Amino acid sequence: MKKSEKRTKVYLLDRTKTADPVSFSSWKDFLPKERWEKTVRPVREEDRKTELAAWLLLYHALKEWKIPEESIRADGAYCYGEHGKPERKKKDVCFNLSHSGKYVMCVVSDVEVGCDIEKIQKVRWKLAKRFFSEGEYDILEKLKEENPGAEEELFTRFWVLRESYVKKTGEGLGTSLEGLDFSGISGYKGKKNGKALKERFFEWEYDGYRIAVCEEKDGEPELVVCSRTIDNCFL
């Protein structure tokens, strides 16, 4: 990729506004073959709607990035990295996808990027004990004592920061989560094994969800909330 010139954009869509893709045969012709197969594979309707929403959000994002439509929808235009990170075969743009609850998220950039969205949830203490740094765990425990309930958002924040980093690097969860520390994050930075990460982290709280984007750019990404339904937004 060329040196960064474009502002990274983050798109958010309520997937509940999506119709079940198996109800509309026209979707089959609109999606790349491999994406259609992935979309209709899940048994649960809500999972199929999530897959469709993710694809159409990516389609919308890439069109705004000036990628030709025939290239966006071409069969075989997408592939996966060693640990499952989706990417464009042409390397003409970088993107990442995430979903949680009713929201689907897509980020596009001209540099490698990772994103994560999670509904604010109760602290999973065993998970925190295993993956969080000692400093992060101590902060959570102290916050629970001083302001019960406030630890839930902080736990979710620490988690989405980790996920966005892992998804940016394209590494496996098990190894790349080790040594991360966001207990003293400042200047959009985090640490790994005591050393400052080169990546920058950008965060939002939206409608009871925590959102994080990880990339190696200084400018803050633009957050775009798509409020229309998929039918009249994309077709």
Side-chain angles (χ1 to χ4, degrees), residues 54 81 83-87 94-100 104-107 111-118 159-173 176-177 180 199 201 212-215:
H83 298 287
K85 182 178 181 180
E87 56 187 34
C94 296
F95 72 92
N96 205 229
L97 301 167
S98 182
H99 66 86
S100 176
V104 172
M105 174 186 179
C106 173
V107 57
V111 296
E112 287 295 340
V113 64
C115 69
D116 192 49
I117 179 171
E118 296 286 346
W159 188 256
V160 296
L161 287 167
R162 278 171 165 71
E163 285 273 11
S164 68
Y165 171 76
V166 168
K167 294 175 72 177
K168 182 265 179 185
T169 62
E171 300 173 357
L173 277 175
S176 54
L177 284 179
L180 288 171
E199 290 83 2
F201 296 84
V213 168
C214 173
E215 62 177 357

Side-chain angles (χ1 to χ4, degrees), residues 191-208:
K191 292 182 179 180
K192 186 169 186 179
N193 298 323
K195 296 182 179 180
L197 293 168
K198 60 184 178 181
E199 290 83 2
R200 289 170 64 84
F201 296 84
F202 302 92
E203 306 174 74
W204 298 265
E205 190 280 327
Y206 182 83
D207 192 25

Side-chain angles (χ1 to χ4, degrees), residues 70-165:
E70 61 272 18
S71 178
I72 298 173
R73 295 172 53 192
D75 292 342
Y78 305 87
C79 58
Y80 295 89
E82 181 181 356
H83 298 287
K85 182 178 181 180
E87 56 187 34
R88 296 264 303 163
K89 281 189 176 179
K90 286 187 175 182
K91 310 293 185 183
D92 47 3
V93 63
C94 296
F95 72 92
N96 205 229
L97 301 167
S98 182
H99 66 86
S100 176
K102 67 179 182 178
Y103 286 111
V104 172
M105 174 186 179
C106 173
V107 57
V108 292
S109 183
D110 47 3
V111 296
E112 287 295 340
V113 64
C115 69
D116 192 49
I117 179 171
E118 296 286 346
K119 186 175 179 62
I120 294 173
Q121 57 184 280
K122 292 184 180 300
V123 177
R124 297 164 63 184
W125 291 103
K126 289 184 178 179
L127 192 70
K129 191 69 173 178
R130 178 181 178 186
F131 290 112
F132 288 8
S133 70
E134 184 177 339
E136 290 170 319
Y137 194 86
D138 289 346
I139 290 172
L140 285 174
E141 285 192 315
K142 184 177 181 180
L143 193 58
K144 182 181 179 181
E145 293 177 1
E146 297 177 348
N147 188 11
E151 77 279 3
E152 296 176 0
E153 182 171 356
L154 186 59
F155 167 80
T156 308
R157 179 190 181 220
F158 285 157
W159 188 256
V160 296
L161 287 167
R162 278 171 165 71
E163 285 273 11
S164 68
Y165 171 76

Side-chain angles (χ1 to χ4, degrees), residues 20-38:
D20 187 345
V22 299
S23 302
F24 296 89
S25 58
S26 58
W27 287 128
K28 184 175 182 179
D29 296 327
F30 186 78
L31 274 66
K33 180 181 178 181
E34 62 271 20
R35 190 69 208 193
W36 170 255
E37 292 173 350
K38 189 174 188 294

